[in-house]
Amino acid sequence: QVQLVESGGGLVQTGGSLRLSCAASGRTFSAYDMGWFRQAPGKEREFVCGCDWSGGNTYYADSVKGRFTISRDNAKNTGYLQMNGLKPEDTAVYYCAARPATWRSPNYNYWGQGTQVTVSS
């Protein structure tokens, strides 16, 4: 099991940047694949990006490809989401998530509390 806590959200102007962090505890972080999701008011949670246990294999939603970068530092038990060129439509609560790297299922079973990202027009 692993506990996840997001941080780094806030208010930023259109075109600005933010870096979100996901601190993990309870288990060696390298044992888990990591992902980021977001949910805007009145909308369903959507996938943003993810990576495998090493960070070597990454995948992104089309809406953020080229602007967002997922990374991780397993020695620090921390995952990151670098967000550049932010747009108002990026406004949402962002969640980090994890799943055991050995699992066959693509579903994430551990979730953080979320951090608010607001992009002004």
Side-chain angles (χ1 to χ4, degrees), residues 93-121:
V93 176
Y94 283 72
Y95 301 88
C96 63
R99 67 190 180 198
T102 56
W103 283 20
R104 294 181 177 87
S105 173
N107 297 323
Y108 293 86
N109 61 331
Y110 298 102
W111 296 87
Q113 188 176 8
T115 185
Q116 177 70 48
V117 172
T118 303
V119 184
S120 62
S121 301

Side-chain angles (χ1 to χ4, degrees), residues 1 19 23 47 67 72-73 88 93 104 111:
Q1 296 183 336
R19 189 183 73 165
F47 171 79
R67 299 187 298 119
R72 63 193 297 166
D73 188 337
V93 176
R104 294 181 177 87
W111 296 87

